[in-house]
Structures are given as C-alpha cells and as structure tokens.
Amino acid sequence: MTANTPLVDTAEEWEVRATDTPFVGNKTSVRTDDVVMPDGSVARRDYQVHPGSVAVVALDDQDRVLLLKQYRHPVSMKLWEIPAGLLDIPGENPLHAAQRELYEEVHVKAEDWRVLTDVYTTPGGCSEAVRIFLARDLSEAEGERFEVEEEEADMEFARVPLAELVRGVLAGELHNNCLVVGALSLAAALAGDGLDALRPALAEWPARPFEA
C-alpha cells in the first residue's frame, strides 16, 4: 500500500460477456458470468445471488448479548447466533427489517439503534451483504410471540456476557459469521471511540440501497 492509497473498498464492475442463471430457488439463485479479466482473457465465475441480510447484536442493561441456538442443515450443526434475517423486499429499509427480526426471534424491542458494521459474508462466491446493528435499551415486546416453525421451533435462547462470546470465538467454539463479526466489532468499539461514535441506524449502505 502506498501513502496515496486510501484503506477503503471501492466499487468496480468488470465487463460480463455472457451470463446465465442455471438455478432459481425460493430466495436465492445461482448465476454464471463470463467475466473479462485485466489481461483480456475471459473467466467463468459461478456465484449465489442473494438479497442481503440484517443481524442484531442486542445488548441488555447488564452488558449481555441476546443469543439463539438454531440447527443449520448445510453444516450439520446447531449454532449459537444473533437474531438475523433476509431482506425479503427489494429496497427494504434494513433498520425496519432488523427491528422485525428482533421481535420475531426473541420477542424484544429496542429504543437505541446504531450500525455496528457492514460485511460481505463470502464475496468470492455469494453476493450476500449483511448489515449488523447494535440495539440497546431493550424491553419485552408487546403482544403475542411470533409463531415459529421448522428449524426455528427448536431454538434455544441465552443472554451471554460479551467477554464470554469473545473467548468462545477465539477458542474456535462459536462459528456463526454474524455472531463472530458482531461480537468482535462490539469489543473493538468499546475499546475504541465508544458505542455513541458508531454510525446512525439509517447510515447509507451502498451494497443494498434503501429508502429511509
């Protein structure tokens, strides 16, 4: 890196000579693109087209993070996770989606919302972008609990101190991407400029543009 090179990811789109969608699923699809490389050659790239997701690090007044444990069939494991869900509607406001997921998965609402971090989960093979929020000033949601089904009907719940999460991540005991990134980002924010310095909940998100 030179002194004139800023440490920031930049948008760029290489020429696509041909494209095909050999598989279309319920929420995602698989696309094959023939992409022109810098030397003029053409390389074929297969990847999953994903609508994007949101996740929530919900921090209670005892500095514990709300977790759920859910079975994930592709990896044949039950993973501890933070509340998360798909951006099912094109252009959907990610804050509204995160508030919905917090209510549906743990029946909790929050008064204070910040953007903790934005990530691409697996940019070499999937277009999924995830915005991870920090939610504070928690309280029990009103009304009946959201009716769960399938894998969600078997979920476990816990409130875990951040230090215990960080220890579990570094020990290789916790593997969910959003939990790992969220826990380490929260620890970094606390050790740095503090939580009030985080971006506002409606900060721009070029990876998934939305209406405020």
Side-chain angles (χ1 to χ4, degrees), residues 23-94:
F23 171 80
V24 177
N26 185 30
K27 299 293 184 181
T28 67
S29 60
V30 173
R31 182 178 297 167
T32 298
D33 288 343
D34 290 342
V35 185
V36 179
M37 298 289 109
D39 64 359
S41 63
V42 176
R44 178 156 293 182
R45 295 290 179 260
D46 302 315
Y47 60 100
Q48 183 184 21
V49 179
H50 194 287
S53 307
V54 292
V56 185
V57 175
L59 190 66
D60 70 12
D61 56 6
Q62 298 181 47
D63 293 329
R64 300 173 302 179
V65 177
L66 278 61
L67 301 183
L68 53 94
K69 195 174 189 181
Q70 184 173 348
Y71 174 66
R72 295 300 187 182
H73 184 69
V75 295
S76 299
M77 294 189 74
K78 289 188 73 174
L79 302 178
W80 283 109
E81 305 179 352
I82 55 177
L86 296 175
L87 288 168
D88 295 314
I89 304 170
E92 181 178 17
N93 187 309

Side-chain angles (χ1 to χ4, degrees), residues 42-190:
V42 176
R44 178 156 293 182
R45 295 290 179 260
D46 302 315
Y47 60 100
Q48 183 184 21
V49 179
H50 194 287
S53 307
V54 292
V56 185
V57 175
L59 190 66
D60 70 12
D61 56 6
Q62 298 181 47
D63 293 329
R64 300 173 302 179
V65 177
L66 278 61
L67 301 183
L68 53 94
K69 195 174 189 181
Q70 184 173 348
Y71 174 66
R72 295 300 187 182
H73 184 69
V75 295
S76 299
M77 294 189 74
K78 289 188 73 174
L79 302 178
W80 283 109
E81 305 179 352
I82 55 177
L86 296 175
L87 288 168
D88 295 314
I89 304 170
E92 181 178 17
N93 187 309
L95 174 60
H96 298 166
Q99 292 169 332
R100 180 184 67 239
E101 293 300 331
L102 188 64
Y103 163 73
E104 291 182 355
E105 295 198 341
V106 292
H107 200 66
V108 164
K109 63 180 181 179
E111 298 301 323
D112 187 275
W113 290 83
R114 305 283 177 131
V115 174
L116 190 54
T117 191
D118 299 322
V119 295
Y120 290 109
T121 55
T122 49
C126 180
S127 68
E128 182 181 17
V130 181
R131 168 155 282 187
I132 303 178
F133 290 90
L134 173 67
R136 294 182 290 171
D137 194 3
L138 309 180
S139 61
E140 190 79 4
E142 299 174 355
E144 296 182 0
R145 284 186 172 272
F146 183 77
E147 186 174 347
V148 296
E149 58 185 8
E150 299 176 340
E151 291 95 339
E152 293 181 348
D154 188 48
M155 290 192 300
E156 305 172 45
F157 302 92
R159 295 189 179 218
V160 181
L162 176 61
E164 186 174 336
L165 292 184
V166 172
R167 183 208 61 79
V169 168
L170 299 180
E173 298 168 355
L174 301 171
H175 308 87
N176 174 264
N177 181 287
C178 291
L179 172 59
V180 170
V181 173
L184 297 183
S185 296
L186 177 56
L190 288 168

Side-chain angles (χ1 to χ4, degrees), residues 94 115 118 131 199-210:
V115 174
D118 299 322
R131 168 155 282 187
R199 287 173 292 161
L202 293 177
E204 291 185 4
W205 189 17
R208 292 294 184 276
F210 63 93

